[in-house]
Amino acid sequence: MQSESVIVPDNAWLAEVRNSSGENASLCYQCKTCSSGCPVAFAMDLLPHQIIHMIRMGLKDAVLKSSSIWLCVSCEACTTRCPNDIDVAKIIDALRMASTKSGLKLGEKKPSVFHDSVLSSIKKTGRLYELGMIGIYTLKSGDMVSNIKSGSLLEDAKVGWKMFKNGKLKLIPKRIKGRKEIKNLFKKLKRGESA
Amino acid sequence: MKVSYYPGCSLHSTGLEYGESTQEVCKILGIELNELSDWNCCGASSAHCTDEVLAIELATRNLVMAEEAGLDLVIPCAACFQRFKVAEKHITEGKEPAIKTPYQGKVPIKHLLDFLVEEENLKVIKEKIKKPLNGLKAVCYYGCLITRPPKVTDAKHYENPQAMDELLSLLGVEVYPWSYKTDCCGGSLMLSRPDIVAQLSGKLIQMAEDAGVDCVATACPLCQANLDTKQAAISKNLGREVRFPTFYFTELLGLALGSGEADKWLRRHIVDPRDLLKSKGLL
């Protein structure tokens, strides 16, 4: 019986995560070293050691809907310091991918929009074209509106203008010769051949 | 000496002065940088969150070019360096999913900082110092990805790295100890969660101030950009005006080697560090 107040654990999920990340969450003994050293723990809804434990409990949707998996900055402090050698950051990567595929509402949308904007820029030219990426990101994330409201747009524009004046933001993207090779790498991704 | 060179996207844009000062420093030291001719973006922070195979293949296309060139590969960007090392380990250790590639893992992949402190290069640097940076006090900020995780980067001193401390001390900089060498600046949350970046980078700047130094030296274009461009938000958070100079370590090296181009690099910063250097008689 399932109702909104009953959490049904997904008992197959631990194995799924092991499969997608190559990492065994069962090795964790909850020492919390990962969470103690995590620079973004202060902004997270679930701490890294809680995520690892919830994987073992099969609490799939709660983890995939968390903001934490998108706030992780991949600084690799957790991976470096885990006494049981669990690559926590790699698990988080696998969770981000699973979260995107799940169709669930993302707990933190903007970092995901940022990554999509970066990749769409690389796909087109083979390199990251910052101005184009910032344009795509600003439109898709809704940051234009929120930044006007908060007044931070002016501050961002000042810094952006100074960077542009100083030659740090190029108007014209550099296109590499091997663009077709790069497009092919992305095509495989679309057909689902990649992990 | 000849090496292959992978600048990465940032060194052609937001980290322009890191690229310029790297080129100049290597020219003075007699190191020939052969830029990989048709290099592509390594996928940076975004590809590995999206698809593991894509992330490895993007980095590997460059490694194949470097292997053909047959030289050591030098990379100034911490994130690019780490992504290349991840690809190298994935392929040479035969990890799943298997990647189809001619790459055999024969290219020594080096972060610029580690390369420049190799014995032979340090010796040349020592001989060519023209203007010691005496009187300048700095903390060395390494960030995350030059050293972490050590099973990928092969870094020996991953909690308390020494390379930049050693190099800047040789240049005459008074290098201060601090506990934030490898703490995160907020990295790729720069656009999507600038509030978090201001918090993390603000902490780093506060801790550098508390250590009693004049500036922070960096070896990563994203670290420098976050520390340099977020100071308006940091000032707002702290309720006082913060204007704390940051440098790329290559800019300080170029200055000490007597390069006439330092002014061109330094005026590209958002927080202009030239007044500090002038006050110390170094510019």
Side-chain angles (χ1 to χ4, degrees), chain A residues 16-28:
Chain A
E16 272 174 44
V17 172
R18 185 164 187 180
N19 215 7
S20 59
S21 68
E23 295 299 309
N24 184 2
S26 295
L27 293 173
C28 171

Side-chain angles (χ1 to χ4, degrees), chain A residues 20 23 39-40 42-43 70-77 79-81 85-87 90 93 96-97 100-101 108 110-111 114-116 118-119 122 126-128 130 133-134 137 143 150 155-156 159 162-163 166-170 175-179 181-182 185-186 188-189 194-195, chain B residues 9-10 12-17 35-41 43 45-54 57-58 61 82-83 95-97 144-145 148-151 158-159 182-184 186-189 191-193 196 199-200 224 228-230 232 236 267-272:
Chain A
S20 59
E23 295 299 309
V40 278
F42 73 93
W70 294 104
L71 295 181
C72 164
V73 275
S74 306
C75 78
E76 310 258 7
T79 295
T80 299
R81 294 171 188 159
D85 206 22
I86 301 171
D87 191 338
K90 197 157 183 226
D93 272 348
R96 289 192 259 237
M97 293 171 210
T100 312
K101 279 179 195 152
E108 183 78 32
K110 286 179 184 176
F114 171 79
H115 296 312
D116 287 348
V118 169
L119 290 179
I122 301 170
R127 290 187 192 165
L128 178 60
E130 276 83 0
M133 181 274 286
I134 293 169
Y137 169 79
D143 266 6
S150 73
E155 211 43 68
D156 291 349
V159 171
K162 194 161 179 200
M163 290 178 89
N166 294 352
K168 291 177 144 196
L169 290 169
K170 300 276 186 302
R175 293 161 189 274
I176 70 163
K177 287 184 205 136
R179 292 198 297 283
E181 286 172 62
I182 303 296
L185 299 183
F186 278 90
K188 273 201 287 189
L189 177 69
S194 298
Chain B
C9 304
S10 295
H12 282 211
S13 58
T14 52
L16 190 62
E17 66 273 35
E35 187 166 328
L36 297 178
S37 61
D38 196 43
W39 60 267
N40 60 274
C41 173
S45 313
S46 295
H48 69 79
C49 304
T50 309
D51 186 88
E52 191 183 7
V53 173
L54 176 70
E57 287 182 337
L58 282 171
R61 182 177 174 275
Q82 200 249 18
R83 292 314 309 164
K95 288 187 185 163
E96 293 289 334
C144 305
L145 299 176
R148 279 198 301 261
K151 64 182 170 190
Y158 51 88
E159 294 288 7
T182 61
D183 276 32
C184 183
S188 63
L189 291 174
L191 288 178
S192 55
R193 285 297 300 265
I196 293 179
Q199 192 91 17
L200 296 178
Q224 197 278 342
D228 189 33
T229 64
K230 295 291 178 197
K236 223 176 181 180
R267 66 185 157 81
R268 298 194 194 280
H269 294 217
I270 297 295
V271 176
D272 194 331

